[in-house]
Amino acid sequence: MTKSTETVAVHLYGRFRQLAPDKRTDADSVVRLTAEEGDTIARILERLGISAAETSNIFLNGELSALTRKVNSGDRLGIFPSDMALLYKWYFEKKD
Amino acid sequence: MSKILRLNMSNQTAKFEDVPEKYKFLGGRGLTSSMTCDEVPPDCHPLGPNAKIFIAPGIVSGASGPSSGRLSVGGKSPLTGGIKEANAGGLASQKIAKLAIKAIALEGQAPAGKFFTVVINKDGVKFLPADDLVGKGMHEVDKVLWQKFPNKPAIIGIGPAGELRLTNAGVSVNDMENGPGRYAGRGGLGAVLGAMGLKAIVIDDKGGPGVTIADPETFKKEAKKLAEALLSHAVTSQGLPTYGTAILVNVMNEAGGLPTRNFTAGRFEGAAKVSGEMINEMVKLRGGAGRVGHACHPGCVMKCSNIYPRPDGTAHTSCLEYESAWSLGPNCGIDDMDVVAELVRICNDVGVDTIEAGVAIGVAMDGGLLSFGDGPGAIKLLSEIGKGTPLGRIIGSGAAFTAQAFGVTRVPVVKNQAMPAYDPRAVKGIGVTYATTTQGADHTAGYTIAPEILGVGGKQDPLAPTKGELSRAFQATTAFIDSTGYCLFIVFAILDVPTGYEGMVGSVNAMQGSNWTADDVIKVGLEIMKRERQFNEAAGFTNKDDRLPEFMRVEKLPPHNVVFDVPDEELDLVNKF
């Protein structure tokens, strides 16, 4: 069994929950992926079949992040769809 | 020409006054703050005979602009001891404006124990004894008044908390379904109305003179630009109407900044159970009276409100906003949406601000009065307010008072007002706003236009302003929008769509005959901030009050494990202008 530190935990919201084993709205809908060499947020989206245009705010380990940001084993990614874009983004520095 | 309506509660008289030239281009917060500065002694007792309350629609309220029915209620806050503007949607703003009333000024105090209902319509003003309403919750007050008076009037009122003069008492405004849930909630202004003996104001604009628009053709054009921006932007046209503001529960939880169990963590394991996604789901599942995409006032196109249904489909409460869902949910360790809905309903009924109430309960939990997560216990505790018991009086007096009563030192307040749903250790920029705004810890004081957009029609320097300069620009823009009558949430669109920003400023100019540019927006906003700050200084505030509580500099907030470390000097920069 893969240890959780060897995977990337992708937390999905809204319509993206359909991609996770637990699709319930009141649960954590998480897909666990094995991290690959050179993974970025953009690559993770590709592997999940999510188009970047369909997303709004993406958090890597709780930090608002750009698509170019590198993703490693043990990381937590949170992906919000385009209809959940509400964020006072001027208070959040986008990391890349 | 609009007038100021002055109501004297000591002798129950009303008088219409001409608008002084200095108030010509003011509305909403700009007007209530200016009148407070001009008429309220900064060192007066906020519940005493020299206190006043000013109620003002915004500059464009009552005209056909989108999402423009916001109301400002201002005065000296019994909670912070400083100047306060509380802002609400609902029916009142537009109806007051359409009676050609620029502001209602309330002064004096009724004889002890006496309460009045003031009725305002096209024929004038009447003071009626409110014996039939005293002690009643706002749900019943609204119901009785719609039965008594024709034409589905606006109702501004206070619940039992206001009658008891509790420092967390808010001012209720009814919505289109005559629910009491639109609150000018923060800062305890409901207690001031209670001290004046004012239970309710009924406003019927039928047959009234309507609003005056200086340039109607241009107004239509400019308002259309704003409406188009709102209807095209993902936040204002999809996110807000579908999920409401409570979508932020999941977003802030993911960001690790959702204050949990009295600000001891930034992530809550039960967050998904009390989020906007869940509200949307429950509305779909339970049907009946449940709604998302609900407008809090006529003409709002963003419709971020909701009517949350009980399991049987009947309406439980309106509305479950982010701040309310958070303060009575994750902040209390509660993950049951139906419990949260009941807590919100109680707040709306007894007449208290949900943010302050939730943080007060969280503090009480931290102090051992009840356990974190104890939903039934929280409901029982909040219900004490309406009974007027000593425990109810403690909780109804807000977070800091409750902390003192229970020996709690983890007190998340600034200027005695409870912090909203963003932990400043994880979101430092908002911490700067919490610390430095004249309003006390306030999340709506510091919306902004991104530095790049500040250059629209103006000459701002977008090169790396300090956090202090940024927060100042944010607060100034917000103060301006708070004066227009437009809902603050238009910023989500006009921040990204320059024509929307132009439409906002252009419609304000066309309404009142001003010639403001983007630079003037900041100037006008800064002037409001400056006046408010002068009031606070005269009331005894110094820069030592522009600080976050000690524990936030010391206690690390998981999951980021950060403290608030913005230097005091940078905080002081915000108000150096």
Side-chain angles (χ1 to χ4, degrees):
Chain A
M1 191 149 88
T2 336
K3 287 198 273 232
S4 65
T5 48
E6 292 171 12
T7 61
V8 176
V10 186
H11 289 247
L12 296 162
Y13 298 93
R15 59 181 181 270
F16 297 156
R17 288 181 188 271
Q18 297 310 311
L19 301 169
D22 191 346
K23 307 173 199 311
R24 293 174 299 155
T25 308
D26 61 349
D28 287 339
S29 301
V30 187
V31 170
R32 294 188 195 278
L33 299 173
T34 311
E36 284 172 10
E37 185 73 42
D39 261 345
T40 59
I41 294 178
R43 282 268 208 91
I44 301 281
L45 289 181
E46 272 172 43
R47 286 165 62 191
L48 290 168
I50 296 175
S51 130
E54 288 283 292
T55 67
S56 58
N57 301 307
I58 297 176
F59 294 89
L60 179 61
N61 299 323
E63 298 175 330
L64 188 66
S65 298
L67 297 172
T68 48
R69 208 159 175 219
K70 293 199 167 30
V71 180
N72 300 304
S73 280
D75 279 350
R76 170 174 171 152
L77 203 53
I79 304 178
F80 290 89
S82 50
D83 65 350
M84 291 185 174
L86 183 59
L87 182 70
Y88 303 150
K89 55 190 177 186
W90 43 89
Y91 285 128
F92 292 80
E93 226 181 275
K94 207 179 219 184
K95 300 252 162 90
D96 59 11
Chain B
M1 272 280 83
S2 62
K3 302 267 187 187
I4 290 174
L5 171 59
R6 191 169 294 274
L7 303 176
N8 187 309
M9 297 306 299
S10 304
N11 49 34
Q12 299 94 54
T13 54
K15 119 168 105 108
F16 285 93
E17 302 170 345
D18 290 334
V19 176
E21 183 67 23
K22 60 182 172 175
Y23 295 157
K24 183 172 176 204
F25 288 156
L26 293 177
R29 174 176 169 187
L31 185 53
T32 62
S33 286
S34 295
M35 294 181 82
T36 300
C37 289
D38 289 343
E39 298 192 30
V40 178
D43 57 357
C44 76
H45 193 299
L47 300 175
N50 294 314
K52 298 192 188 189
I53 289 288
F54 303 97
I55 300 175
I59 295 167
V60 303
S61 297
S64 61
S67 305
S68 57
R70 300 297 295 189
L71 183 79
S72 295
V73 181
K76 178 172 174 170
S77 162
L79 182 65
T80 66
I83 197 165
K84 173 58 60 181
E85 181 254 4
N87 194 291
L91 296 180
S93 167
Q94 291 153 326
K95 287 184 186 287
I96 292 171
K98 288 180 182 176
L99 285 170
I101 295 170
K102 191 162 167 97
I104 300 172
L106 294 158
E107 56 192 35
Q109 297 184 312
K114 289 225 79 70
F115 283 90
F116 291 91
T117 301
V118 175
V119 183
I120 307 171
N121 58 28
K122 65 172 171 56
D123 300 322
V125 182
K126 282 205 196 68
F127 289 76
L128 304 174
D131 302 356
D132 55 333
L133 300 175
V134 167
K136 291 200 158 72
M138 281 311 302
H139 289 89
E140 172 124 23
V141 169
D142 285 347
K143 188 158 149 239
V144 167
L145 290 173
W146 264 29
Q147 284 167 350
K148 231 172 147 178
F149 295 99
N151 305 321
K152 301 190 175 179
I155 299 165
I156 297 173
I158 58 170
E163 295 174 30
L164 292 168
R165 298 190 294 278
L166 302 178
T167 44
N168 186 25
V171 179
S172 162
V173 184
N174 63 338
D175 63 14
M176 289 187 275
E177 291 80 23
N178 201 28
R182 312 318 314 187
Y183 264 85
R186 311 230 65 198
L189 297 182
V192 186
L193 295 184
M196 289 177 170
L198 181 55
K199 175 69 177 172
I201 308 176
V202 177
I203 303 135
D204 174 4
D205 67 323
K206 183 153 184 211
V211 294
T212 306
I213 306 176
D215 181 348
E217 280 314 305
T218 305
F219 181 86
K220 243 203 241 153
K221 220 173 21 131
E222 296 296 321
K224 185 158 182 269
K225 278 154 74 174
L226 175 59
E228 280 166 354
L230 297 177
L231 292 170
S232 68
H233 195 276
V235 171
T236 49
S237 69
Q238 292 172 50
L240 284 176
T242 313
Y243 299 107
T245 57
I247 191 55
L248 280 165
V249 172
N250 279 338
V251 177
M252 285 311 299
N253 191 58
E254 192 61 45
L258 183 73
T260 297
R261 295 187 180 92
N262 193 34
F263 290 75
T264 52
R267 246 188 215 144
F268 178 54
E269 67 282 6
K273 297 186 162 68
V274 290
S275 76
E277 270 196 79
M278 262 308 276
I279 293 170
N280 184 288
E281 174 111 332
M282 284 295 112
V283 163
K284 282 204 198 86
L285 224 61
R286 295 176 176 179
R291 296 248 293 281
V292 289
H294 173 249
C296 87
H297 67 270
C300 182
V301 303
M302 296 183 283
K303 303 185 192 173
C304 73
S305 176
N306 53 61
I307 301 177
Y308 186 78
R310 296 180 192 277
D312 67 359
T314 55
H316 193 161
T317 196
S318 176
C319 89
L320 286 181
E321 297 172 334
Y322 174 50
E323 293 290 337
S324 309
W326 156 75
S327 74
L328 299 160
N331 187 58
C332 294
I334 291 172
D335 65 358
D336 184 331
M337 198 96 233
D338 291 315
V339 168
V340 173
E342 178 58 12
L343 291 167
V344 172
R345 190 200 67 78
I346 296 171
C347 286
N348 289 345
D349 201 43
V350 301
V352 294
D353 168 44
T354 51
I355 296 174
E356 194 73 43
V359 179
I361 295 174
V363 160
M365 288 170 165
D366 211 344
L369 181 65
L370 70 169
S371 303
F372 281 110
D374 181 2
I379 289 172
K380 188 158 173 285
L381 180 57
L382 213 52
S383 303
E384 294 290 309
I385 297 177
K387 298 182 194 156
T389 60
L391 184 56
R393 286 180 176 276
I394 291 174
I395 276 289
S397 295
F401 192 93
T402 302
Q404 204 169 331
F406 291 97
V408 176
T409 54
R410 187 178 294 115
V411 196
V413 302
V414 178
K415 300 181 180 70
N416 218 49
Q417 178 168 291
M419 282 182 192
Y422 309 83
D423 196 297
R425 290 162 287 187
V427 193
K428 299 189 184 179
I430 216 173
V432 174
T433 297
Y434 286 173
T436 60
T437 171
T438 51
Q439 304 292 311
D442 182 328
H443 65 298
T444 61
Y447 280 54
T448 188
I449 305 295
E452 314 85 73
I453 296 285
L454 280 175
V456 171
K459 9 182 224 320
Q460 307 295 331
D461 183 349
L463 296 177
T466 63
K467 265 204 197 69
E469 286 164 348
L470 222 46
S471 180
R472 183 197 312 146
F474 304 173
Q475 293 183 40
T477 308
T478 303
F480 182 88
I481 296 178
D482 280 340
S483 304
T484 63
Y486 283 120
C487 173
L488 205 39
F489 289 167
I490 64 172
V491 291
F492 292 117
I494 68 179
L495 166 127
D496 289 336
V497 185
T499 50
Y501 184 87
E502 286 162 23
M504 186 270 290
V505 182
S507 57
V508 167
N509 283 334
M511 184 81 182
Q512 62 180 10
S514 51
N515 280 305
W516 288 338
T517 62
D519 278 347
D520 292 312
V521 167
I522 301 292
K523 274 208 201 90
V524 169
L526 286 176
E527 182 60 31
I528 295 170
M529 284 166 65
K530 193 164 101 196
R531 266 181 231 166
E532 291 178 356
R533 191 163 177 84
Q534 282 165 353
F535 184 94
N536 279 6
E537 277 171 13
F541 286 79
T542 69
N543 64 341
K544 293 283 181 282
D545 299 296
D546 290 345
R547 300 288 180 261
L548 295 193
E550 183 183 65
F551 81 90
M552 288 196 166
R553 290 199 175 275
V554 176
E555 286 181 22
K556 295 188 184 163
L557 183 83
H560 293 291
N561 295 321
V562 280
V563 297
F564 186 78
D565 57 3
V566 176
D568 290 348
E569 303 77 57
E570 209 172 316
L571 295 177
D572 288 338
L573 271 181
V574 175
N575 289 304
K576 280 205 166 74
F577 61 91

